[in-house]
Structure formats: C-alpha cells, structure tokens
Amino acid sequence: MTHPNPFGPKGWTPERVGDLTGKNIVITGANAGAGYEATRIFLSKGASVVMLNRSAPKSEAAIATLKQEFGTQADVRFIPMDLADLASVRAAADQVLAKVPQIDVLIENAAIAQVATQQFTRDGFESQLGTNHYGHFLLTRLLFDRLVDSHARIVVVGSNGHKMGLKRVQFEDMNFDGNYNPHITYCHSKFVQMMFAYELERRIAKAGIPVSIHVCHPGAARTTLSKEEANRMTKFLFILLSPLAQSAERGAWPEVLCATEENLKPAAYYGPTKRAEMVGPVGESKLEKSVLDPVQAVQLWELSETETGTSWAIQKQETVA
C-alpha cells in the first residue's frame, strides 16, 4: 500500500524547519555523512548541537569547517563516544548530563554496516549489533530521565535493510556465530534497533510520558557508511551504484524531519519514497510489520537490559492536581 505523501508531491524539505534558537540537539555519528549534513541544517536554524563521535580528529575538523560556514558563534560541541564500548557510552552519557541541562532532541544516527568478516565489540557483541543497537539502547537509557524532563524527541535512524534478511530477531545466535553474512547481519542489527524504537514508543505512550520517538531511514545516500568496513565487492558495488544515489544532504532530510516536524504519526517510518524507497520525495515509507511484533520486542528489551547491564522500567507518570 502506498501512503499519500502528507507533505505534498515534492515531499518534505528543510524549508519547513522554523527557528530552532534555544533548542539543544544531541546526535551520534555527526562528523561525516548524513549526521554532519543534519548538523549543518540544525546550525543554520539556530540550534545548539552536541556531537557524540568516536574520532576526535575528525570531530575537531568537522567543527572547524562548520564554524567557518556559520561563524565562530555557532554552538557545536563534541563529546567522545564509541558505541562499540559500553564503558565509553557510560562516560559520554555522564558528560552529556553534566554539560547539557536540556536535551530537546536525541538523534541516534551513527551506524556501521556491511562489516566484511565477523568482528566483536569490546563487550563481546557482534560488531554491527553492538554498535547499532546495544550502544544506542544504553545511551537512551542513561539519558532518559533528562529526555523526559526536557519533553524531548528521540529519532532513530533505521534502514530499509529491516525489510531484508531474517525479518526476525535471531535470539538463538545473536552474534551470528553459525551464519555470519555482512549484509544479513547488518539487516538484523537495524531490524533489532527499530524493534527497540517501536517498543520504546509503546511503553512511553502507555506511561503517558511527554517524550516522542520517531523512526526514519536515509534511503540510498552517498555517505561513508558502507565504505569503511565492507569487503571489496561491496565497496565496488557502492562505487558502481553511487551515481544513482542521492547526496548525503538529502539522506539527512528524514532525520531532520523527525526532529522538527509536528503531528507525526505513531508507529510510522519516514524517508525517501521512490525507486524502492531509495531516493525521491521524503514522506512516509513502508514498514515491515514484523518489526512491530510485541512478543519479540519484550524479549529483546529484556535481553538488551541484561547485555548492557542496566534495568529500564518505564513507570507511568503521576499527574499533579
């Protein structure tokens, strides 16, 4: 079923974004690609941006370039964080809580993809699952009270890969010891990340908490996502197909939409809508319904708590008369 584009035939564009002065946006993986381009849009509208990135040199270079474009008064900062290291995530969350009294938007943009051979995070997770899901799960948990106090938005950057691969959570072998495949394992990590997002949305709604969560995807964008860890064949295909992809800036539009647009639908999925939803006008995309399975989602939530060494019970807020 094709959804009529709620933003008209040309789709959503950054022209719809109003003044963001006074808004604090925290974004993972923002020193290159779509995250960097999203940061550019936010700064152009007056927002303050805190980047959570793995590489200090790349972050410093990105900030220098942004200040050249927007002026030295541009409020953009960097806190080091490696999503593949839960101790690093905890340290970064501590810094965010100490330095950012209000978080209006948390964007979970960072990801790794198409890792050529099975690799593991510092904590022993398959690298794509550990980075794309467990790291973000823990970060969201650690910042959640601040997000609630700020009446924040959480934006999860998913992938159309969730419609491919297994289309379920491989609970019996989360590290893919028996069937590792760069593409299928990446698709699994994004399926899991998105399933968590929709389960979080359900729990927030049930508790009546003033936080919203939205899920999007960049489509096919010319970023570094599939360049750094992929095997030679994947890198070759990326180069071959690159002329058919859209720019990293266009790839950033869906996450900016989810960070700023009012009246977004629950359990929705936003991104490009043409050519198998790889490019074209940004609007509501098709969602693989299995990612909304509440039974798997509860099991995943409990597993994620165990694996990240945290507990996360979202309690209904009491109303004050």
Side-chain angles (χ1 to χ4, degrees), residues 113-117 128 181-184 186 225-242:
Q114 315 293 341
V115 178
T117 59
Q128 295 172 97
N181 174 281
H183 179 65
I184 293 173
Y186 166 69
L225 181 58
S226 296
K227 291 181 180 179
E228 297 178 354
E229 308 285 350
N231 59 30
R232 291 183 179 180
M233 179 57 71
T234 301
K235 290 178 180 178
F236 174 74
L237 289 173
F238 181 88
I239 294 171
L240 188 67
L241 298 174
S242 183

Side-chain angles (χ1 to χ4, degrees), residues 129 132-134 162 168-171 174 186-198 291 300 304:
L129 177 69
N132 300 346
H133 171 59
Y134 286 134
H162 85 281
R168 68 176 181 88
V169 183
Q170 187 173 275
F171 289 111
M174 293 293 280
Y186 166 69
C187 293
H188 180 260
S189 75
K190 299 307 283 188
F191 182 95
V192 165
Q193 184 185 17
M194 290 172 61
M195 177 169 276
F196 154 64
Y198 292 118
V291 81
L300 173 64
S304 300

Side-chain angles (χ1 to χ4, degrees), residues 105-109 153-157 213-214 216 255 258-259:
V105 185
L106 171 64
I107 303 180
E108 302 182 357
N109 166 82
R153 293 186 185 212
I154 302 169
V155 177
V156 173
V157 180
I213 181 163
H214 308 291
C216 62
E255 59 191 88
C258 288

Side-chain angles (χ1 to χ4, degrees), residues 43-230:
L43 292 175
S44 74
K45 301 294 184 176
S48 299
V49 179
V50 178
M51 298 176 167
L52 304 182
N53 302 326
R54 181 174 52 182
S55 170
K58 290 181 180 179
S59 299
E60 291 163 359
I63 289 172
T65 301
L66 290 166
K67 285 183 176 290
Q68 284 181 346
E69 181 176 2
F70 297 108
T72 56
Q73 77 282 356
D75 190 356
V76 54
R77 293 171 283 165
F78 156 66
I79 291 174
M81 185 186 72
D82 184 354
L83 285 165
D85 181 351
L86 296 183
S88 175
V89 174
R90 291 182 183 278
D94 286 344
Q95 287 199 54
V96 171
L97 293 174
K99 298 177 180 180
V100 189
Q102 177 173 315
I103 304 172
D104 295 286
V105 185
L106 171 64
I107 303 180
E108 302 182 357
N109 166 82
I112 60 172
Q114 315 293 341
V115 178
T117 59
Q118 187 187 35
Q119 304 291 330
F120 298 94
T121 69
R122 184 176 293 273
D123 303 281
F125 309 127
E126 185 280 314
S127 61
Q128 295 172 97
L129 177 69
T131 300
N132 300 346
H133 171 59
Y134 286 134
H136 278 126
F137 178 91
L138 180 60
L139 178 68
T140 311
R141 170 66 186 99
L142 296 173
L143 299 182
F144 192 67
D145 289 345
R146 180 66 47 84
L147 295 169
V148 173
D149 291 342
S150 303
H151 294 199
R153 293 186 185 212
I154 302 169
V155 177
V156 173
V157 180
S159 167
N160 277 335
H162 85 281
K163 305 174 188 177
M164 308 171 196
L166 305 178
K167 299 183 184 179
R168 68 176 181 88
V169 183
Q170 187 173 275
F171 289 111
E172 71 277 15
D173 183 9
M174 293 293 280
N175 277 351
F176 281 71
D177 292 327
N179 59 336
Y180 186 81
N181 174 281
H183 179 65
I184 293 173
T185 308
Y186 166 69
C187 293
H188 180 260
S189 75
K190 299 307 283 188
F191 182 95
V192 165
Q193 184 185 17
M194 290 172 61
M195 177 169 276
F196 154 64
Y198 292 118
E199 176 64 10
L200 177 58
E201 182 181 41
R202 286 190 290 268
R203 294 185 182 213
I204 286 172
K206 184 177 181 180
I209 290 173
V211 171
S212 63
I213 181 163
H214 308 291
V215 183
C216 62
H217 72 99
R222 291 187 290 274
T223 70
T224 60
L225 181 58
S226 296
K227 291 181 180 179
E228 297 178 354
E229 308 285 350

